[in-house]
Structures are given as C-alpha cells and as structure tokens.
Amino acid sequence: MSDAVLPPLSIAEVERRVASELTRIGPVIDDLGARFAAAGEELALVGGPVRDAMLGRLQNDLDFATSARPEKTEKLLSGWVDAIWDMGRSFGTIGARIGEWQVEITTYRAETYDSTSRKPEVEYGDNLVGDLGRRDFSVNAMAVRVPGREFEDPYGGLVDLANQTLRTPGTPEDSFSDDPLRMMRAARFAAQLGFTPAPEVVAAMTSMAGRIEIISAERVRDELVKLVCAPYPRLGLRLLVETGLAAHVLPELPALALERDEHHRHKDVYEHSLTVLEQSIDLESRLGGGPDFISRFAALMHDVGKPRTRRFEPGGVVTFHHHDVVGAKLTRKRMQALRFSNAEIDATSKLVELHLRFHGYGAGEWTDAAVRRYVRDAGDQLERLHILTRADCTTRNQRKADRLRRTYDSLEERIARLAEQEELASIRPDLDGAQIMEILDIAPGRRVGAAYKHLLELRMDNGPMSEDDATAALLAWAAANPGEGDGTHARSVPRLD
C-alpha cells in the first residue's frame, strides 16, 4: 500500500482540535446530555463526529449512543427538538433536528452476521465500552460523554488517528466476520482520510475477501460510491485490488492489470486508468459542483474492454479494436449487478462508449456535420465527455500532450460556435412527426420514424433548413422510398432543383 497522504499529527494537535470543536457544539451536546442525565440515562457523542472533531472537520451531523431505549429517547426529545424521525427505529435509532444540527441517537447495541446472512441481527447492549467495541475501526471507536465531556478511548483510537492508521478494536478476523462490509469500509476510509490500514487488517482482508459475497449489492454499491467520490480514491481502489476484494465486487478493475507482452509495447492499463481517474477529478470543477461519481466512474471504467479485445498482431503490435463498445457493455453489466439506477448506468456506459470518438478528429478535419453528430451522440453527457477525453491523455511526451490539448480546445471552440448558431443541445429535424404525417398523409408507424431519421441526418449534414426546403426533401425521400399509405394529395412544394 501507498504511504499516508497527509503527515502524521501530534497528540497535542489532535487534542487542541477536538477541544475547539467541542466548544463550538457545546450548547447542543451539553443541553442534550443534561436531558438524558436528568432521566437517569447515559449519552455520548460517538464515532465519526469525534474522529472528525479531532481532524478539525466536524460537520453538522452528530451521532450519539445512549443507554435509553428508542421509545424513551423519542419521549425525551419530543417537544424540545425542531423535528423527529424514526426510520431507524428497528436499529435502535431516533433522528432529530436541533436548529442547524442533525442528530441521530442510537441505543447501545451489538450486531453480527451469521455465515449466510445479508442482514445484521441487532441486539441492545448495556454499556458504552461494549458499544464502542463493536465498531469498525479504533478511530471510530472513541466517544465523549455528555454533558460532562469525559473522553472515552478504550481501543487506542487517539494514537491511531495521530498516526493515521486503520486498526480494528478487536481482531480484524472477528470484526470482518461479524460484518464483512467493514473490509470495504477500510478501503473507503483509506480513500477518504488518506489513512493506511495496519498490516494485520490488510492480511485479514486478503484471507477473508470472499466473505464479502454475503453482503447485499446495494450496500457494496454505496461503499463503492463513497470510495470513488473520496479525495484519494487511488488509495482505496489499490487496497481493493491488492487484497482480492475487487475480484468479488469490481472484477473488471484487477483484470486491467494485463500481462505485458515480451516487448513491453503497451501501457499498464490498470495504472493508466487510475491516472485518468485522478486527472478527471482535477477537471470536474467544470461541472460546477462537488465530487461527480458518474464522471469519475466512467474514467475508471473507460478501458475495461481492453482485456477482452487484446490481440497480438505481427511485428509485436498490440491492438484493442472495439474496446470502447465492449467496455460500455461490461460497464452496464457491472453497474446493473450493483443495482445502480438506469440513469446512472446509461450515462456512464455512454461515456465509456464515446471515449475514443475524439481521436477521429485528427488535426481538426471534421466537417460541421461530424461535430454536430459528436454533440448529438453525447447528449446531456457532453461536458463529462469533454472531461473524460482530456483526462485520457496520460502520455509523458509533453509535445504530444500539448498537441492533443490544443486539438481538443479547437473542437470545443467549434462546438461553441455551432451551438450559438444552431442550438446544438436540442438538435431536431426541421419537421416534427405531426408535420411528416400531414405532408405524406400517413398514419403513425414505422415509416414516420424512417422519415424523421432521414430528416435528422439532413439536419446534421446541412444545418438548419427552411420548412419549404425540408418539405421538399421529405417528398423527394418519399418518392425514392415508396411505401404503403403515402397520400396522393400532399401539398405542393418547390422543387429542390
């Protein structure tokens, strides 16, 4: 595994950060703790919020553990908080909003899996230390009791956080056996925090990788999305590959580590794909928001068709013909298996399929018609396609890289000019379906679709046409392609010649 991305922290710096953050949220945690204490119940800030407070990055979501059962927690909150929800009641969790803060309060618990279960069996616990012991990693097994603000760290999470190490509270074998998804979470936290898993954690992940098979596709998907959208996804993805977990959840990724041919004439596609992912992240500000999963995942998957299409030609040449089309199909199949939405699947697979299209642009020889088709085929994924195409240049030859960048700049400029003139984002034929049926005097059917497609191709080739010219073109097409149902009283129009 790679070294930690960030330098280690001193214990003094960690303590300073957490003291500052606890002061900031003091009015919320102290008042909440006082209500539970007055009712004879324990309450503690736990898990991620404590970790994030130590990292100086606490958000507005606060997690608490309590000795109170859910019904009592709900009673203590009623009439005092701004809103209450209980969707997590079956897991012992009651949620609430207190001003700007979102809080979740969960009864002390323990949960385990049997050897074949996909769902945890939840049991209530009776003390804070036991509750912390069932958590995934020591950096998430720290707590601050409220209202007294006593720090609880029974598993050495403070030291592990300062050293940026991922270690389990007990043995990793027991932890991963209880909840195999924790192996995915190790990779996710490596990607989110830049932390390095302890050697025994990596060893357990490697030996138990197959255990991930009992976890539902939806839970695996959610962890994968968080990993890919994290600041350092390469760290998490490398951990998945090196431990063998990727072979179970994303087998297309380790398959990219193609065996080099004896002449070493093609790139390491696996490392190339990770680099393209990182370069796409550098460009995603063009999308105007935060981390964009579709853009990132398309970058990661854009070459997954290469192992299936690799051929050795005479002279030691290696080819990957049609790997864009094959890769799009593999991407669609994998995302379906992981239960992504149809919209996410369509967008990502389209990007994979189109990622080579730009290379036909050469030195800018495309006609305006070809540029229009490029925009039409990309549709609402055009900006993401710009990002992917630019990120896919990983050559170390600076002259070649500069040439590719200038060429793509030229293409984008042409797209912008045509867009101003022709509203490229919504290219349609110059006649709609109703007009086609009226002019040809035909009913809805396959012939209307064929005529519409013909007019769309003319629009792509020639740009906008007047209604009269489009009508003349339609009638000329109908005369050259006679079909049943064409009317004999279509309106007279000027001849094209």
Side-chain angles (χ1 to χ4, degrees), residues 284-290:
E284 69 184 2
S285 60
R286 294 175 55 138
L287 298 173

CSV table of all heavy atoms in Angstrom, one decimal, residues 284-290:
chain,number,residue,atom,x,y,z
A,284,GLU,N,-13.1,18.2,-12.8
A,284,GLU,CA,-14.5,18.1,-12.6
A,284,GLU,C,-15.1,19.4,-12.1
A,284,GLU,O,-16.3,19.5,-12.0
A,284,GLU,CB,-14.9,16.9,-11.7
A,284,GLU,CG,-14.5,17.0,-10.3
A,284,GLU,CD,-14.8,15.8,-9.5
A,284,GLU,OE1,-15.4,14.8,-10.1
A,284,GLU,OE2,-14.6,15.7,-8.3
A,285,SER,N,-14.3,20.4,-11.8
A,285,SER,CA,-14.8,21.7,-11.4
A,285,SER,C,-15.6,22.3,-12.6
A,285,SER,O,-16.5,23.2,-12.4
A,285,SER,CB,-13.7,22.7,-11.0
A,285,SER,OG,-12.8,22.8,-12.1
A,286,ARG,N,-15.3,21.8,-13.8
A,286,ARG,CA,-16.1,22.3,-15.0
A,286,ARG,C,-17.6,21.9,-14.8
A,286,ARG,O,-18.4,22.6,-15.5
A,286,ARG,CB,-15.6,21.6,-16.2
A,286,ARG,CG,-14.2,22.0,-16.6
A,286,ARG,CD,-13.6,21.2,-17.8
A,286,ARG,NE,-14.5,21.3,-18.9
A,286,ARG,CZ,-14.1,21.5,-20.2
A,286,ARG,NH1,-12.8,21.6,-20.5
A,286,ARG,NH2,-15.0,21.5,-21.2
A,287,LEU,N,-17.9,21.0,-14.0
A,287,LEU,CA,-19.3,20.6,-13.8
A,287,LEU,C,-20.0,21.5,-12.8
A,287,LEU,O,-21.2,21.4,-12.6
A,287,LEU,CB,-19.4,19.1,-13.4
A,287,LEU,CG,-18.8,18.1,-14.4
A,287,LEU,CD1,-18.8,16.7,-13.8
A,287,LEU,CD2,-19.6,18.1,-15.7
A,288,GLY,N,-19.3,22.3,-12.1
A,288,GLY,CA,-19.9,23.3,-11.2
A,288,GLY,C,-20.3,22.8,-9.8
A,288,GLY,O,-20.9,23.5,-9.1
A,289,GLY,N,-20.0,21.5,-9.5
A,289,GLY,CA,-20.4,21.0,-8.2
A,289,GLY,C,-19.3,20.3,-7.5
A,289,GLY,O,-18.1,20.5,-7.7
A,290,GLY,N,-19.7,19.4,-6.5
A,290,GLY,CA,-18.7,18.6,-5.8
A,290,GLY,C,-18.3,17.4,-6.5
A,290,GLY,O,-18.4,17.3,-7.8
